[in-house]
Amino acid sequence: MNGATARRRGRPPRTESADTRGRILTAAREEFSERGYDKASMRGIAKAAGVDPALVHHYFGTKEQVFEAAVEVAFAPALKVRDAILESPLDDVGERLTRTLLGLWENPVTRTPLLAIVRSAVNNETAAAVFRRLVSAQLLRRIASELDVPDAELRAELAAAQLVGVAMMRYVIKIEPLASADPEQIIARVAPVVQGHLTNP
């Protein structure tokens, strides 16, 4: 193999960059979902993406940075709807937030990467730190900034804890009857609690 070939393997042309990054992130989400953070490897991600391991390091750096990038992509739908939710009056934000996040978990396309994130965060402190950093910076603080109440950040965290707890019990641990309950029934029960955390005196 000559030097030019080696460079082509390690650094693809700019036109291929977006596609290559996308393949790596897709492979990373699947690897973290199936194997968890501890057992997932850069080599395994590269193999699943069909690229040289050097490319994974080139685009993302360390395994922690690959995980963080995969988390950001997985959270993208939630972050997109976050602003739409908060642009409306806050008197029914609990239902809108609960319905939106539950909808992400109900959709198989978005559920898979969310499962990867939660499972990895539960079992590994590095992954948990990434998860906390992203949730705190991009979700909770944004919600808290819209609340005209005392202890806004604490309230936002309690609301998030309520929703993450439901997701854990329903989609990860799969405890019955919650696991097979109708989503509308869950929304009806949980949304008022979330609303209370966010806006009640």
PDB file of all heavy atoms in Angstrom, residues 181-195:
ATOM      1  N   ALA A 181     -49.267  -0.414  29.192  1.00  0.00           N
ATOM      2  CA  ALA A 181     -50.381   0.518  29.366  1.00  0.00           C
ATOM      3  C   ALA A 181     -50.535   1.405  28.138  1.00  0.00           C
ATOM      4  O   ALA A 181     -49.575   1.662  27.405  1.00  0.00           O
ATOM      5  CB  ALA A 181     -50.159   1.380  30.606  1.00  0.00           C
ATOM      6  N   ASP A 182     -51.754   1.865  27.899  1.00  0.00           N
ATOM      7  CA  ASP A 182     -52.004   2.767  26.782  1.00  0.00           C
ATOM      8  C   ASP A 182     -51.275   4.091  27.016  1.00  0.00           C
ATOM      9  O   ASP A 182     -51.334   4.647  28.117  1.00  0.00           O
ATOM     10  CB  ASP A 182     -53.507   3.023  26.669  1.00  0.00           C
ATOM     11  CG  ASP A 182     -53.837   3.900  25.469  1.00  0.00           C
ATOM     12  OD1 ASP A 182     -53.832   5.131  25.622  1.00  0.00           O
ATOM     13  OD2 ASP A 182     -54.077   3.338  24.388  1.00  0.00           O
ATOM     14  N   PRO A 183     -50.567   4.605  26.008  1.00  0.00           N
ATOM     15  CA  PRO A 183     -49.832   5.861  26.185  1.00  0.00           C
ATOM     16  C   PRO A 183     -50.698   7.022  26.669  1.00  0.00           C
ATOM     17  O   PRO A 183     -50.244   7.850  27.465  1.00  0.00           O
ATOM     18  CB  PRO A 183     -49.272   6.131  24.780  1.00  0.00           C
ATOM     19  CG  PRO A 183     -49.161   4.795  24.140  1.00  0.00           C
ATOM     20  CD  PRO A 183     -50.319   4.009  24.680  1.00  0.00           C
ATOM     21  N   GLU A 184     -51.939   7.079  26.202  1.00  0.00           N
ATOM     22  CA  GLU A 184     -52.820   8.164  26.624  1.00  0.00           C
ATOM     23  C   GLU A 184     -53.127   8.087  28.114  1.00  0.00           C
ATOM     24  O   GLU A 184     -53.280   9.115  28.781  1.00  0.00           O
ATOM     25  CB  GLU A 184     -54.117   8.140  25.811  1.00  0.00           C
ATOM     26  CG  GLU A 184     -53.948   8.545  24.363  1.00  0.00           C
ATOM     27  CD  GLU A 184     -53.451   9.983  24.213  1.00  0.00           C
ATOM     28  OE1 GLU A 184     -53.843  10.837  25.040  1.00  0.00           O
ATOM     29  OE2 GLU A 184     -52.671  10.250  23.287  1.00  0.00           O
ATOM     30  N   GLN A 185     -53.229   6.875  28.634  1.00  0.00           N
ATOM     31  CA  GLN A 185     -53.457   6.705  30.064  1.00  0.00           C
ATOM     32  C   GLN A 185     -52.252   7.203  30.860  1.00  0.00           C
ATOM     33  O   GLN A 185     -52.406   7.858  31.904  1.00  0.00           O
ATOM     34  CB  GLN A 185     -53.722   5.230  30.378  1.00  0.00           C
ATOM     35  CG  GLN A 185     -54.036   4.966  31.839  1.00  0.00           C
ATOM     36  CD  GLN A 185     -54.266   3.492  32.122  1.00  0.00           C
ATOM     37  OE1 GLN A 185     -54.051   2.641  31.250  1.00  0.00           O
ATOM     38  NE2 GLN A 185     -54.693   3.170  33.330  1.00  0.00           N
ATOM     39  N   ILE A 186     -51.068   6.923  30.362  1.00  0.00           N
ATOM     40  CA  ILE A 186     -49.845   7.381  31.026  1.00  0.00           C
ATOM     41  C   ILE A 186     -49.764   8.903  30.996  1.00  0.00           C
ATOM     42  O   ILE A 186     -49.460   9.543  32.009  1.00  0.00           O
ATOM     43  CB  ILE A 186     -48.605   6.764  30.350  1.00  0.00           C
ATOM     44  CG1 ILE A 186     -48.634   5.244  30.487  1.00  0.00           C
ATOM     45  CG2 ILE A 186     -47.323   7.325  30.967  1.00  0.00           C
ATOM     46  CD1 ILE A 186     -47.557   4.546  29.701  1.00  0.00           C
ATOM     47  N   ILE A 187     -50.042   9.486  29.841  1.00  0.00           N
ATOM     48  CA  ILE A 187     -50.001  10.945  29.716  1.00  0.00           C
ATOM     49  C   ILE A 187     -50.977  11.598  30.687  1.00  0.00           C
ATOM     50  O   ILE A 187     -50.658  12.591  31.350  1.00  0.00           O
ATOM     51  CB  ILE A 187     -50.306  11.365  28.268  1.00  0.00           C
ATOM     52  CG1 ILE A 187     -49.166  10.929  27.340  1.00  0.00           C
ATOM     53  CG2 ILE A 187     -50.519  12.877  28.169  1.00  0.00           C
ATOM     54  CD1 ILE A 187     -49.487  11.037  25.869  1.00  0.00           C
ATOM     55  N   ALA A 188     -52.175  11.032  30.774  1.00  0.00           N
ATOM     56  CA  ALA A 188     -53.197  11.595  31.664  1.00  0.00           C
ATOM     57  C   ALA A 188     -52.751  11.577  33.121  1.00  0.00           C
ATOM     58  O   ALA A 188     -53.098  12.482  33.899  1.00  0.00           O
ATOM     59  CB  ALA A 188     -54.504  10.818  31.500  1.00  0.00           C
ATOM     60  N   ARG A 189     -51.994  10.561  33.511  1.00  0.00           N
ATOM     61  CA  ARG A 189     -51.535  10.442  34.895  1.00  0.00           C
ATOM     62  C   ARG A 189     -50.286  11.275  35.176  1.00  0.00           C
ATOM     63  O   ARG A 189     -50.154  11.881  36.249  1.00  0.00           O
ATOM     64  CB  ARG A 189     -51.218   8.970  35.202  1.00  0.00           C
ATOM     65  CG  ARG A 189     -52.405   8.035  35.159  1.00  0.00           C
ATOM     66  CD  ARG A 189     -53.185   8.120  36.441  1.00  0.00           C
ATOM     67  NE  ARG A 189     -54.248   7.136  36.499  1.00  0.00           N
ATOM     68  CZ  ARG A 189     -55.087   7.023  37.519  1.00  0.00           C
ATOM     69  NH1 ARG A 189     -54.975   7.839  38.556  1.00  0.00           N
ATOM     70  NH2 ARG A 189     -56.044   6.119  37.500  1.00  0.00           N
ATOM     71  N   VAL A 190     -49.365  11.300  34.224  1.00  0.00           N
ATOM     72  CA  VAL A 190     -48.046  11.887  34.465  1.00  0.00           C
ATOM     73  C   VAL A 190     -48.019  13.388  34.192  1.00  0.00           C
ATOM     74  O   VAL A 190     -47.366  14.149  34.911  1.00  0.00           O
ATOM     75  CB  VAL A 190     -46.981  11.167  33.608  1.00  0.00           C
ATOM     76  CG1 VAL A 190     -45.622  11.856  33.725  1.00  0.00           C
ATOM     77  CG2 VAL A 190     -46.879   9.707  34.025  1.00  0.00           C
ATOM     78  N   ALA A 191     -48.727  13.820  33.150  1.00  0.00           N
ATOM     79  CA  ALA A 191     -48.661  15.232  32.744  1.00  0.00           C
ATOM     80  C   ALA A 191     -48.991  16.207  33.872  1.00  0.00           C
ATOM     81  O   ALA A 191     -48.291  17.225  34.032  1.00  0.00           O
ATOM     82  CB  ALA A 191     -49.566  15.467  31.535  1.00  0.00           C
ATOM     83  N   PRO A 192     -50.046  15.966  34.680  1.00  0.00           N
ATOM     84  CA  PRO A 192     -50.326  16.918  35.768  1.00  0.00           C
ATOM     85  C   PRO A 192     -49.190  17.000  36.790  1.00  0.00           C
ATOM     86  O   PRO A 192     -48.956  18.076  37.366  1.00  0.00           O
ATOM     87  CB  PRO A 192     -51.603  16.345  36.410  1.00  0.00           C
ATOM     88  CG  PRO A 192     -52.240  15.536  35.326  1.00  0.00           C
ATOM     89  CD  PRO A 192     -51.091  14.934  34.567  1.00  0.00           C
ATOM     90  N   VAL A 193     -48.493  15.895  37.001  1.00  0.00           N
ATOM     91  CA  VAL A 193     -47.359  15.905  37.944  1.00  0.00           C
ATOM     92  C   VAL A 193     -46.221  16.747  37.381  1.00  0.00           C
ATOM     93  O   VAL A 193     -45.611  17.547  38.090  1.00  0.00           O
ATOM     94  CB  VAL A 193     -46.902  14.452  38.236  1.00  0.00           C
ATOM     95  CG1 VAL A 193     -45.735  14.480  39.221  1.00  0.00           C
ATOM     96  CG2 VAL A 193     -48.045  13.615  38.760  1.00  0.00           C
ATOM     97  N   VAL A 194     -45.935  16.552  36.099  1.00  0.00           N
ATOM     98  CA  VAL A 194     -44.890  17.345  35.438  1.00  0.00           C
ATOM     99  C   VAL A 194     -45.264  18.824  35.464  1.00  0.00           C
ATOM    100  O   VAL A 194     -44.423  19.698  35.748  1.00  0.00           O
ATOM    101  CB  VAL A 194     -44.676  16.855  33.978  1.00  0.00           C
ATOM    102  CG1 VAL A 194     -43.707  17.772  33.236  1.00  0.00           C
ATOM    103  CG2 VAL A 194     -44.156  15.421  33.986  1.00  0.00           C
ATOM    104  N   GLN A 195     -46.530  19.122  35.184  1.00  0.00           N
ATOM    105  CA  GLN A 195     -47.015  20.510  35.210  1.00  0.00           C
ATOM    106  C   GLN A 195     -46.825  21.105  36.599  1.00  0.00           C
ATOM    107  O   GLN A 195     -46.387  22.258  36.744  1.00  0.00           O
ATOM    108  CB  GLN A 195     -48.486  20.553  34.829  1.00  0.00           C
ATOM    109  CG  GLN A 195     -49.082  21.953  34.765  1.00  0.00           C
ATOM    110  CD  GLN A 195     -48.596  22.729  33.561  1.00  0.00           C
ATOM    111  OE1 GLN A 195     -48.476  22.176  32.478  1.00  0.00           O
ATOM    112  NE2 GLN A 195     -48.325  24.013  33.745  1.00  0.00           N
TER     113      GLN A 195
END
